[in-house]
Amino acid sequence: MDRSLGNKCRLFLGAIIALTAVTFADAHISMIYPLPRGHPFNPNTGFVDYNCRDAPLYDGCGGGLGKTFPCGGYPPDRQVVQSFHAGQVINVRFGNAQYGSAGQPQLTPSSNQARHAGGLCEFSLSYDQGKTFGVFARYHGSCPDMYYDWPVKLPENLPSCDSCIFGWSWINAAATQAEFYMGCADIKIVGGAGGALPSEIANTPLRLANMPGHPSYHAPGDQFGNTRSNGPDPTEVEVNMRNANGGPDSSFQAMYNKRKRSPRTRRGGN
């Protein structure tokens, strides 16, 4: 073979490999509203993560174990400017490195969002800077999906705080690896007089999975793979608008209990 032709072939193969690596590295999804810690869109973030912003926890992205629990290990925002009122509806949005900002391709129903057939999304609050999280809303099956807003309602009787954490977590439904994703937004909450954290939230911790010391499993999802789903289920939207939505949910509990009887515990970061 001509040496120059061989060199061109090697360069071409190298370009394909590099492109494949970039596509794989970006093949994840993250919360983009409320603005989370570590995200390039967030002007107040204490650390800008261009490489691993969309990655799951403990997958090795960036070296070592990768992002860690809670909140990917990102520091709090330098200034807390996102403010919400108790009882306010927040339309959570998702994006990734391929879509969601100026100059990126337009999202279409057939776009590969890397949403892994959805799974279980939980929305939570922390009043102690991430030591504990209480779940107040959930979406099963098709969450996340960048094509839709995902409305959740803050409980009406929340206490005020100058620096709380709004948390989104996701157990994926499909992919070679069962994964756990988490995004955290630093927020202020303007509560009513005498507000208190509802007991059903305070007593409902996050479901933790697919990380060291916890079971490994996929959550139930949908049939749409990485493309656009049917979006938020109207019944679940209604439930999430009723106020606090903590406590056990029977639609997931049976599967979760079955997995717990024979857990496959992750011991490392891969």
Side-chain angles (χ1 to χ4, degrees):
M1 177 185 291
D2 179 76
R3 181 174 296 180
S4 62
L5 180 59
N7 289 336
K8 289 179 180 178
C9 289
R10 283 190 289 271
L11 288 172
F12 178 73
L13 289 173
I16 292 177
I17 293 171
L19 180 60
T20 303
V22 169
T23 302
F24 178 80
D26 289 340
H28 298 295
I29 197 169
S30 61
M31 180 175 71
I32 60 173
Y33 183 80
L35 285 169
R37 296 178 179 181
H39 202 284
F41 291 177
N42 185 353
N44 295 294
T45 186
F47 173 78
V48 180
D49 190 346
Y50 292 102
N51 298 318
C52 302
R53 72 186 204 192
D54 302 329
L57 306 191
Y58 298 98
D59 77 332
C61 185
L65 293 177
K67 295 162 61 176
T68 58
F69 182 85
C71 302
Y74 297 132
D77 286 356
R78 296 188 303 269
Q79 183 179 6
V80 181
V81 299
Q82 299 180 96
S83 182
F84 301 95
H85 285 78
Q88 183 173 343
V89 175
I90 300 176
N91 289 310
V92 179
R93 295 195 297 272
F94 301 101
N96 65 19
Q98 279 86 20
Y99 306 98
S101 63
Q104 293 177 333
Q106 182 177 357
L107 187 67
T108 68
S110 61
S111 295
N112 184 345
Q113 301 182 37
R115 52 177 296 276
H116 303 326
L120 172 69
C121 286
E122 293 191 313
F123 302 87
S124 58
L125 294 171
S126 176
Y127 275 74
D128 55 14
Q129 285 303 303
K131 294 178 182 177
T132 59
F133 288 86
V135 175
F136 70 94
R138 297 187 179 98
Y139 281 104
H140 302 79
S142 290
C143 182
D145 188 326
M146 290 187 276
Y147 219 86
Y148 303 93
D149 289 348
W150 296 82
V152 297
K153 183 179 180 181
L154 295 176
E156 295 177 354
N157 56 336
L158 286 176
S160 296
C161 67
D162 291 325
S163 182
C164 287
I165 297 175
F166 176 99
W168 160 72
S169 55
W170 169 38
I171 299 173
N172 64 319
T176 302
Q177 180 70 56
E179 298 166 328
F180 186 90
Y181 295 74
M182 189 174 193
C184 292
D186 291 296
I187 66 171
K188 299 178 182 179
I189 294 177
V190 180
L197 193 65
S199 60
E200 62 267 44
I201 295 177
N203 297 326
T204 307
L206 290 173
R207 287 204 176 87
L208 301 179
N210 309 325
M211 65 178 77
H214 295 278
S216 179
Y217 58 86
H218 292 88
D222 60 33
Q223 72 272 30
F224 299 102
N226 288 325
T227 60
R228 188 180 75 172
S229 69
N230 288 331
D233 183 279
T235 301
E236 288 201 299
V237 173
E238 181 182 354
V239 170
N240 286 328
M241 293 302 103
R242 289 178 192 160
N243 221 349
N245 183 29
D249 52 334
S250 57
S251 61
F252 189 86
Q253 199 66 41
M255 187 281 293
Y256 181 69
N257 288 339
K258 181 179 179 181
R259 299 281 186 173
K260 287 183 69 176
R261 284 196 291 270
S262 58
R264 295 179 290 114
T265 302
R266 286 186 65 148
R267 303 183 184 278
N270 296 316

